[in-house]
Amino acid sequence: MRYLILGAGALGGYFGGMLIKGGADVTFLVRPKRAAQLEQHGLIVKLQDGSELRTKVKTVEQPKLNGTYDVILLCCKAYDLDGAMGAMAQAMAEHSVIVPVLNGVRHIDVLTERFGQARVLGGLTTINTALMPDGPSSRASYGSISTS
């Protein structure tokens, strides 16, 4: 199964890191500045128990996006939703699903209208994460995700 994480901030970094830790094939769709940070430092997730997950990650920028993904984990800010949908459309195959983890609830209707109800899973997360000021790391005190 191939995962595309749209957004490598606090939430995308945490969940992408945990998927990678579990052996998943993960690619992050990022902007140039974030791609450079991840290339230089890798992804660093600092966990509540004091441990760290440090790993190199695959990244792609929107103009270079090719191929399709089974799951798209949407971790952008709500105000970036319109642009994100254009990027996601390029990455979707017949079987692809979207798991949105955004603030608010409007995005479910917008995504469903564009991609269809069968492709949009409701995402809910209970997590306390922060993207650290230096950019390459996120700190998580607790994280989980569920879909419906």
Side-chain angles (χ1 to χ4, degrees):
M1 192 171 274
R2 294 183 70 209
Y3 292 85
L4 180 67
I5 311 291
L6 201 146
L11 287 175
Y14 174 79
F15 288 118
M18 294 301 103
L19 285 165
I20 290 168
K21 182 179 178 183
D25 179 0
V26 175
T27 301
F28 289 90
L29 178 61
V30 293
R31 294 184 176 113
K33 181 180 176 186
R34 189 71 170 128
Q37 289 174 330
L38 290 168
E39 176 64 29
Q40 181 177 5
H41 302 285
L43 178 68
I44 305 165
V45 180
K46 298 178 181 182
L47 301 170
Q48 182 179 11
D49 64 5
S51 66
E52 289 184 350
L53 169 67
R54 290 177 171 263
T55 185
K56 291 287 186 186
V57 296
K58 293 187 284 185
T59 63
V60 65
E61 296 173 39
Q62 186 173 351
K64 299 175 185 171
L65 184 63
N66 61 13
T68 59
Y69 296 83
D70 302 297
V71 178
I72 299 172
L73 185 58
L74 180 58
C75 300
C76 67
K77 301 291 185 197
Y79 55 76
D80 285 334
L81 181 59
D82 291 337
M85 288 191 303
M88 287 186 301
Q90 299 174 42
M92 294 190 68
E94 184 178 323
H95 62 278
S96 301
V97 295
I98 302 165
V99 179
V101 184
L102 281 73
N103 55 322
V105 294
R106 177 185 159 267
H107 60 276
I108 297 290
D109 291 336
V110 172
L111 290 165
T112 299
E113 184 177 317
R114 171 106 185 241
F115 298 105
Q117 188 171 14
R119 293 182 173 244
V120 180
L121 305 177
L124 171 67
T125 184
T126 304
I127 190 167
N128 180 11
T129 63
L131 184 62
M132 303 309 288
D134 61 359
S137 64
S138 62
R139 180 178 303 279
S141 60
Y142 172 78
S144 67
I145 189 169
S146 61
T147 60
S148 59

